[in-house]
Amino acid sequence: MAALALMACSGAKTAGEDEAGVATVLPDESNEVTVQVLEKKVFEHELVSNGKLVAGKQADLRFETAGVVVAVHVKNGERVQAGQVIAELDKFRLANQVAQTKDALEKARLELQDVLIGQGYAADAQEEVPADVMRLAKVRSGYDQAEAQYALAKYEEEHASLKAPFDGVVANLFAKPYNETDASEAFCTVVGTEGMEVDFTVLESELPLIKAGDKVVVTPYADAAAQCVGRISQINPLVDDEGMVKVKAVVDGNRRLFSGMNVRISVHRSLGEQLVVPKSALVLRSGKQVVFTLKDGKAQWNYVQTALENADSYSIADGLKEGDTVIVTGNVNLAHESPVTVVDTKRE
C-alpha cells in the first residue's frame, strides 16, 4: 500500500509538470490580422486563355511576270507606306512589248475604219453605227484582240514595280538584285500592324460569360511589357469535338507585336455589383471554403460559397452579408473564436 501511494504521488506531479510545459509552449496570444468591411461593388469577371496573334492585314506580294530584279529598296522589318515601291524589274522587254502592242492597236483601228466604210458608214461617225454592226466590225478587224493585248502589256509594265498595298512591315524578303524572280512565288510579305487580331478558344461552359464587345487584355509571353487592349469581335457559333469554341478579338497593334506571337488573353466583363472578397480572405478547412469574420475581438468561422473569380477576388454567393468585417490576412492558422488583434483596416 505504501508503494502504491508513492507511485500515485509521482504520477500527479508529472501531470502537473506537463500542463505547465504546454502552457509555456502555447501561450494564449492573439493573432495580428488585417480586416475589410464587406461591401457590394462592381465585379469584373476574368476568363484566361491562350491564343495567337494574327495580322489584320497581310499580303504575299509577287511580280506579275518573270524577270531580272534590278533594285530592292527595302529590307525585312522596315516599315512601308501604301504605294511605296519595294522592288523593280528590268523594264526593257516590257517597254518594248508595250510599244509593239500599241502599234498593233493602231493598225487594228485603221482596219476597223476600213470595215465600217465598206459597210457604208463614215469613219468619223462611229457613234452612229449600230451595236451589232460595230461588234462584227471589231471582230473582223481584230481590234478587240489588239486592244486587250495592249492593255495587258501596259499592266505588266506598271506592275514591274512592286508596291506596298497598305501600311505595314516587310517580311520574308530574301531576293537579291540582278537575280531572276519567279512569278509563281511570293517575293515578300507585307504585314499590317494596325488592328491586329488574336485567335483563341474558350470552353463551351464559358460561353455565357463572354459576348462580342467584351474587353480583352493581350500579353505576349515573349514580352510582357508589350501588353495591349482590345475587344471581342466575333464568336464562332460551332463547338468542336473537344468542347471548345473559337473566338476572335481585335487589338490595338504596336511595333512590339508580331504576327504569329503566342499570347495570354484575359477577357474582362462587368457583372454588376456583388459581394466581393480578396482571394487572401478565403481559406480551406477540411476541403470546404471558409472566410473568417471579426466579432468582439475574436475570429468567427463562416462556411461560404463562391460564384466567380478573377485574378485577385472572389464573388460570394452565400455565407456572408454586407457589412461583415472580413479578416483579409493573418487567417492561415486561425480557429473558431481565436482572439485576434487588428493592425489595419482596408477599404476599397
Side-chain angles (χ1 to χ4, degrees), residues 113 117 121-127:
Q113 292 178 353
I117 292 172
Y121 298 98
D124 57 351
Q126 295 185 10
E127 66 277 0

Side-chain angles (χ1 to χ4, degrees), residues 77-253:
E78 186 173 335
R79 296 183 67 84
V80 293
Q81 297 180 343
Q84 181 177 337
V85 176
I86 294 175
E88 297 179 83
L89 294 179
D90 183 2
K91 297 182 181 180
F92 175 78
R93 183 180 60 81
L94 297 173
N96 184 268
Q97 184 71 19
V98 170
Q100 292 182 16
T101 55
K102 184 178 181 180
D103 183 65
L105 179 60
E106 290 297 327
K107 291 180 180 179
R109 183 179 289 109
L110 293 175
E111 184 66 26
L112 174 62
Q113 292 178 353
D114 288 343
V115 173
L116 292 176
I117 292 172
Q119 295 288 330
Y121 298 98
D124 57 351
Q126 295 185 10
E127 66 277 0
E128 300 177 0
V129 180
D132 56 340
V133 175
M134 179 61 74
R135 183 170 57 254
L136 182 60
K138 286 184 176 181
V139 172
R140 288 180 177 179
S141 63
Y143 180 83
D144 284 344
Q145 183 178 5
E147 188 178 40
Q149 290 176 346
Y150 175 65
L152 178 60
K154 284 190 64 178
Y155 177 85
E156 290 181 344
E157 183 185 31
E158 292 171 356
H159 286 74
S161 296
L162 199 63
K163 299 179 180 180
F166 45 78
D167 296 349
V169 177
V170 177
N172 295 335
L173 174 56
F174 306 111
K176 302 293 183 182
Y178 312 113
N179 288 278
E180 188 83 13
T181 183
D182 188 350
S184 64
E185 296 182 358
F187 183 83
C188 68
T189 301
V190 175
V191 181
T193 55
E194 301 299 329
M196 298 193 74
E197 299 177 340
V198 59
D199 294 327
F200 61 100
T201 57
V202 299
L203 292 170
E204 177 184 358
S205 59
E206 295 172 333
L207 274 177
L209 303 177
I210 64 171
K211 62 179 178 62
D214 282 350
K215 174 184 173 182
V216 299
V217 177
V218 179
T219 306
Y221 286 107
D223 185 5
Q227 185 179 91
C228 57
V229 177
R231 298 282 175 181
I232 293 178
S233 59
Q234 54 182 282
I235 301 173
N236 190 37
L238 289 175
V239 181
D240 62 21
D241 294 338
E242 297 179 354
M244 307 297 289
V245 178
K246 293 182 179 180
V247 182
K248 185 183 293 291
V250 177
V251 299
D252 299 326

Side-chain angles (χ1 to χ4, degrees), residues 327-341:
I327 296 177
V328 176
T329 62
N331 54 357
V332 177
N333 297 316
L334 290 182
H336 186 57
E337 294 193 344
S338 296
V340 296
T341 300

Side-chain angles (χ1 to χ4, degrees), residues 262-336:
N262 294 306
V263 295
R264 177 181 181 271
I265 300 100
S266 298
V267 182
H268 295 262
R269 184 180 182 188
S270 176
L271 299 180
E273 290 191 345
Q274 300 186 29
L275 293 177
V276 180
V277 298
K279 283 191 171 180
S280 60
L282 189 141
V283 295
L284 294 178
R285 294 289 188 269
S286 300
K288 295 183 179 181
Q289 296 176 322
V290 172
V291 172
F292 287 97
T293 55
L294 178 65
K295 185 177 181 181
D296 299 329
K298 294 184 179 181
Q300 303 296 315
W301 178 307
N302 302 273
Y303 287 113
V304 298
Q305 291 182 358
T306 58
L308 297 170
E309 67 175 293
N310 55 25
D312 54 13
S313 305
Y314 290 105
S315 64
I316 301 297
D318 188 33
L320 296 174
K321 64 182 183 298
E322 189 173 4
D324 286 345
T325 302
V326 176
I327 296 177
V328 176
T329 62
N331 54 357
V332 177
N333 297 316
L334 290 182
H336 186 57

